Amino acid sequence: MKRFTAVAGTVLSCLLILWSALPLPVPAQQETIKIGVIYGLGGAAAPYTKPAITGHEIAVDEINAKGGLLGRKLQLVIRDDQSKPDVGVREARELILKEKVDFLMGVIHSGVALGISEVAKEYKKIYLNTIAKTAALTEEKGHRYVFRSASNTVIEGRAAAILMANQPFKRYAVIGPDYEYGHRMVDDFISYLKMLKPGVQVVGEAWPKFGERDFTAHVNALLQAKPEMVYSSLWGGDAIAFVKQAKPYGFFTKTEYMNIAAADLDVVVPLGAETPEGIWGSSNYAFYYPDTPANREFVAKYKAKANDLPPAGAFFGYVGTYFLAEAIRKAKSADTEKVIDALEGLTIETPIGPLTMRAYDHQATKGQYWGRLKRVPEFPFPIMGDVQLIGGEKTLRPVDEIKALRGAK
């Protein structure tokens, strides 16, 4: 018996030694929180969208360096929609069905954004739009699963109208790219301006295709209408090409000119000294305004990563990512329905100050900057002088009006 006990003890000891030599079980690694990011990455959109990707990356790197969210890292899955609605819809479906992303973000082209919004509603996934501006996205076509952290055509158009209501001009001509964004940006400006200032007339219109390279006919048509002011919703490469081609006709000495994107770095840097001084320019983000520690810190972060000044796209990517991240943190979950509840009414700090995601329509209170372009010795391009910020809380369409728009569908 004693011998049996000794043998058993030896066997047990060996088993314990072998067990202790086995590797300890490793806790299952937490899956990443996957964010599908979609932009048109080529052509006229590239100066906005490539910096936007960098903005997303800076935010994700910051969040992951602090341990991620809920113990999970964030992961970006980036796709190119080629600024085509059908391509955008296809990429959104693939991101949801094949890549199994938890959320969708991005898009600059309004038509693409409207298409992806419908995909988000179909699959009950949050789509947080970061740049595309058509107000329809969060107004008459808004729904539970779509949000926007940027401004929209109503906010920007009404801001321009408030600015012009105090100016003497009554004869306006308009020009914009011939698609959803271009028409909405003009309509939302003119309709509000006429309300603020009865007697305003639209004496000429021009609707070049998006990506137009020959503006000669449009320049002549606008000048023949003899406007006092030309309001332009051209952006990116179109805004640059128009200025270059209109200047030899003396366009900017024959009429006043205001452009919704004229003060964006994506426009003033390529134009440089060719930018007509004194035109009215707007920007979604300015690295020099507001001159606050938070904005200076963001500029430094972007310069450290991209070795350049941050354009508007960088701001949009950065802020959009933080809106989503703070909602996940507040919800203590990456569950879609819980994150939606957390996003509604959420206020976050941004490089330009606090922004709030309005609960009813999921539209952020992002405002718009305007000023007359002037040359300064610090930079080889003009900046806005006497910058005016017209806040989104002043120009958002009231909730009752949006309810009426949705009820009218």
Side-chain angles (χ1 to χ4, degrees), residues 163-196:
L163 193 71
M164 286 298 108
N166 295 319
Q167 298 299 319
F169 319 118
K170 288 193 173 181
R171 290 174 57 85
Y172 281 77
V174 298
I175 180 170
D178 190 14
Y179 75 101
E180 172 75 16
Y181 162 83
H183 285 270
R184 283 299 297 250
M185 192 61 87
V186 167
D187 292 346
D188 289 331
F189 165 69
I190 290 295
S191 60
Y192 203 59
L193 180 60
K194 285 184 174 179
M195 190 183 81
L196 296 176

Side-chain angles (χ1 to χ4, degrees), residues 44-64:
Y48 291 84
T49 55
K50 291 187 175 178
I53 296 293
T54 304
H56 285 292
E57 291 173 343
I58 292 172
V60 166
D61 288 348
E62 288 177 350
I63 294 164
N64 285 345

Side-chain angles (χ1 to χ4, degrees), residues 117-158:
S117 174
E118 292 304 305
V119 175
K121 183 165 65 173
E122 178 184 352
Y123 290 97
K124 298 186 186 304
K125 288 285 184 185
I126 290 174
Y127 165 44
L128 197 155
N129 172 266
T130 49
I131 303 183
K133 300 293 177 61
T134 177
L137 185 71
T138 48
E139 292 190 348
E140 63 265 36
K141 295 184 179 179
H143 54 80
R144 179 168 171 78
Y145 298 94
V146 66
F147 291 79
R148 173 164 35 210
S149 55
S151 54
N152 65 27
T153 54
V154 166
I155 291 174
E156 297 188 15
R158 289 186 173 190

Side-chain angles (χ1 to χ4, degrees), residues 70-360:
L70 316 173
R72 299 166 65 182
K73 301 286 188 181
L74 298 184
Q75 179 187 355
L76 301 176
V77 184
I78 298 166
R79 294 292 179 85
D80 183 1
D81 62 36
Q82 301 173 34
S83 295
K84 297 177 180 177
D86 59 329
V87 176
V89 166
R90 185 186 69 211
E91 294 293 347
R93 289 186 189 279
E94 288 192 4
L95 283 167
I96 293 171
L97 298 174
K98 294 184 179 178
E99 295 289 345
K100 308 295 183 186
V101 299
D102 299 283
F103 305 99
L104 293 171
M105 294 186 75
V107 180
I108 187 169
H109 192 290
S110 290
V112 178
L114 290 172
I116 290 177
S117 174
E118 292 304 305
V119 175
K121 183 165 65 173
E122 178 184 352
Y123 290 97
K124 298 186 186 304
K125 288 285 184 185
I126 290 174
Y127 165 44
L128 197 155
N129 172 266
T130 49
I131 303 183
K133 300 293 177 61
T134 177
L137 185 71
T138 48
E139 292 190 348
E140 63 265 36
K141 295 184 179 179
H143 54 80
R144 179 168 171 78
Y145 298 94
V146 66
F147 291 79
R148 173 164 35 210
S149 55
S151 54
N152 65 27
T153 54
V154 166
I155 291 174
E156 297 188 15
R158 289 186 173 190
I162 290 171
L163 193 71
M164 286 298 108
N166 295 319
Q167 298 299 319
F169 319 118
K170 288 193 173 181
R171 290 174 57 85
Y172 281 77
V174 298
I175 180 170
D178 190 14
Y179 75 101
E180 172 75 16
Y181 162 83
H183 285 270
R184 283 299 297 250
M185 192 61 87
V186 167
D187 292 346
D188 289 331
F189 165 69
I190 290 295
S191 60
Y192 203 59
L193 180 60
K194 285 184 174 179
M195 190 183 81
L196 296 176
K197 190 171 184 175
V200 164
Q201 293 178 279
V202 177
V203 297
E205 299 183 20
W207 300 104
K209 67 181 181 182
F210 177 58
E212 177 64 74
R213 286 298 168 261
D214 184 358
F215 286 93
T216 305
H218 304 296
V219 169
N220 286 323
L222 292 173
L223 288 177
Q224 287 171 7
K226 300 186 183 307
E228 296 171 302
M229 168 64 84
V230 174
Y231 173 83
S232 167
S233 62
L234 298 174
W235 61 276
D238 289 9
I240 295 169
F242 179 83
V243 167
K244 286 185 173 182
Q245 294 176 36
K247 209 169 180 181
Y249 290 86
F251 187 91
F252 302 102
T253 61
K254 295 176 181 174
T255 178
E256 294 277 349
Y257 181 71
M258 62 188 303
N259 175 230
I260 200 74
D264 280 345
L265 280 183
D266 323 88
V267 174
V268 292
V269 170
L271 277 175
E274 290 187 77
T275 308
E277 194 166 17
I279 63 172
W280 300 77
S282 174
S283 182
N284 288 288
Y285 167 76
F287 69 89
Y288 49 87
Y289 192 91
D291 185 16
T292 59
N295 200 21
R296 289 196 292 272
E297 182 182 358
F298 175 66
V299 172
K301 289 175 184 175
Y302 188 84
K303 289 176 74 173
K305 187 173 179 67
N307 193 31
D308 207 349
L309 292 167
F315 171 83
F316 284 135
Y318 186 79
V319 169
T321 305
Y322 267 103
F323 253 119
L324 181 60
E326 292 303 320
I328 294 170
R329 188 174 284 126
K330 178 182 173 186
K332 299 177 181 178
S333 170
D335 175 76
T336 296
E337 302 302 327
K338 291 179 181 177
V339 175
I340 289 173
D341 292 341
L343 265 171
E344 291 180 338
L346 179 67
T347 297
I348 68 167
E349 289 297 327
T350 80
I352 61 169
L355 294 178
T356 298
M357 188 68 72
R358 196 163 68 170
Y360 179 77

Side-chain angles (χ1 to χ4, degrees), residues 371-398:
R372 302 191 78 163
L373 299 191
K374 66 174 187 179
R375 293 187 174 86
V376 293
E378 295 92 334
F379 306 107
F381 51 83
I383 64 173
M384 291 180 287
D386 299 324
V387 180
Q388 296 185 52
L389 169 62
I390 301 169
E393 67 282 354
K394 296 179 183 175
T395 48
L396 276 167
R397 193 185 300 280

